[in-house]
Amino acid sequence: MEMTIFDKISMIFKYIFSSFMGIELFILSLLLFTFTVLNINKNNKIVKIVSIILCVCFLVGLIISFHSYASYCIDSFITSLLSYIYFPSMVTYFFTMIIVTIALVVTILSKKMIRTNRVINSIVLSIMYLSFMCVAAIAATNHLDLSVAANLYENETLLSFIQVSDLVFFFWVEYTILYHFYKFLEYKLDKK
């Protein structure tokens, strides 16, 4: 189906304004956009609270309207996450390594990062790079085509490196998110 960008945009507008739900979602999005813009200019607590309430209403409305589809999406997400941990793919592994590289650059350049986080990041990122180099070495010495999923699962050493490094990456991401969430709450509570 060959469509120009204008055809696609007109199709989107036609869908949005063809039903009550589409108009309702458009109004909620417009309100959220308005409050976000107001927050940029005024940095008001009321605007922040209303923006958060709008986001929550938006999500709750979608979940209530499409509760069976929402539960299906949550199940699919959890299944995909678990299947990735147990049955990794090289595409996601390469994207993981891009994230690790960016995190390593940030760790090296950041002056605000505390020493503990620098040490943890350095250890985790070094383990990730060691695993990546070992995966590349195993693939090169065994003449494995990593784009073929069967080659990945035939070599137990290669699969072990990928699965363990994915697990390390998963725990490191969890630690990083929890640490930043803790710092955010600490900042908010100290500010009061």
Side-chain angles (χ1 to χ4, degrees):
M1 191 158 91
E2 290 293 321
M3 294 174 65
T4 65
I5 189 72
F6 297 112
D7 292 336
K8 292 177 184 179
I9 292 172
S10 68
M11 186 177 287
I12 289 170
F13 277 108
K14 197 184 312 179
Y15 176 79
I16 288 173
F17 294 110
S18 68
S19 69
F20 179 73
M21 186 187 70
I23 294 170
E24 188 179 83
L25 293 175
F26 178 75
I27 291 171
L28 273 173
S29 299
L30 194 61
L31 283 171
L32 181 62
F33 173 74
T34 305
F35 280 108
T36 307
V37 169
L38 287 174
N39 188 38
I40 291 170
N41 294 333
K42 299 186 182 201
N43 202 9
N44 191 343
K45 280 189 177 185
I46 295 172
V47 174
K48 287 182 183 180
I49 291 170
V50 171
S51 297
I52 291 171
I53 290 171
L54 277 173
C55 283
V56 169
C57 287
F58 190 74
L59 288 173
V60 168
L62 283 175
I63 289 172
I64 289 171
S65 299
F66 304 108
H67 65 279
S68 62
Y69 186 70
S71 64
Y72 169 75
C73 287
I74 291 169
D75 287 343
S76 293
F77 174 74
I78 291 171
T79 303
S80 298
L81 183 66
L82 290 175
S83 70
Y84 171 69
I85 290 172
Y86 290 110
F87 306 106
S89 74
M90 287 309 295
V91 173
T92 49
Y93 189 65
F94 286 128
F95 280 118
T96 301
M97 291 312 298
I98 290 171
I99 293 169
V100 164
T101 303
I102 293 168
L104 187 61
V105 169
V106 169
T107 300
I108 291 169
L109 297 178
S110 178
K111 295 185 186 330
K112 294 181 181 179
M113 192 177 292
I114 63 170
R115 182 179 169 87
T116 307
N117 280 354
R118 284 179 182 267
V119 169
I120 289 172
N121 284 359
S122 298
I123 290 169
V124 168
L125 302 176
S126 297
I127 290 170
M128 292 296 294
Y129 264 99
L130 172 68
S131 297
F132 182 70
M133 295 303 164
C134 289
V135 164
I138 292 168
T141 56
N142 293 332
H143 305 292
L144 297 175
D145 182 7
L146 294 179
S147 63
V148 178
N151 289 340
L152 183 66
Y153 299 117
E154 287 174 358
N155 192 316
E156 289 182 13
T157 308
L158 182 73
L159 191 59
S160 297
F161 269 112
I162 293 171
Q163 286 177 334
V164 169
S165 63
D166 285 343
L167 202 58
V168 168
F169 179 74
F170 179 72
F171 284 124
W172 174 74
V173 167
E174 275 189 45
Y175 165 78
T176 305
I177 290 170
L178 289 174
Y179 173 78
H180 287 293
F181 184 66
Y182 168 76
K183 284 306 216 183
F184 172 76
L185 290 178
E186 183 181 55
Y187 173 75
K188 287 291 183 184
L189 293 175
D190 286 346
K191 198 174 176 183
K192 288 182 180 180

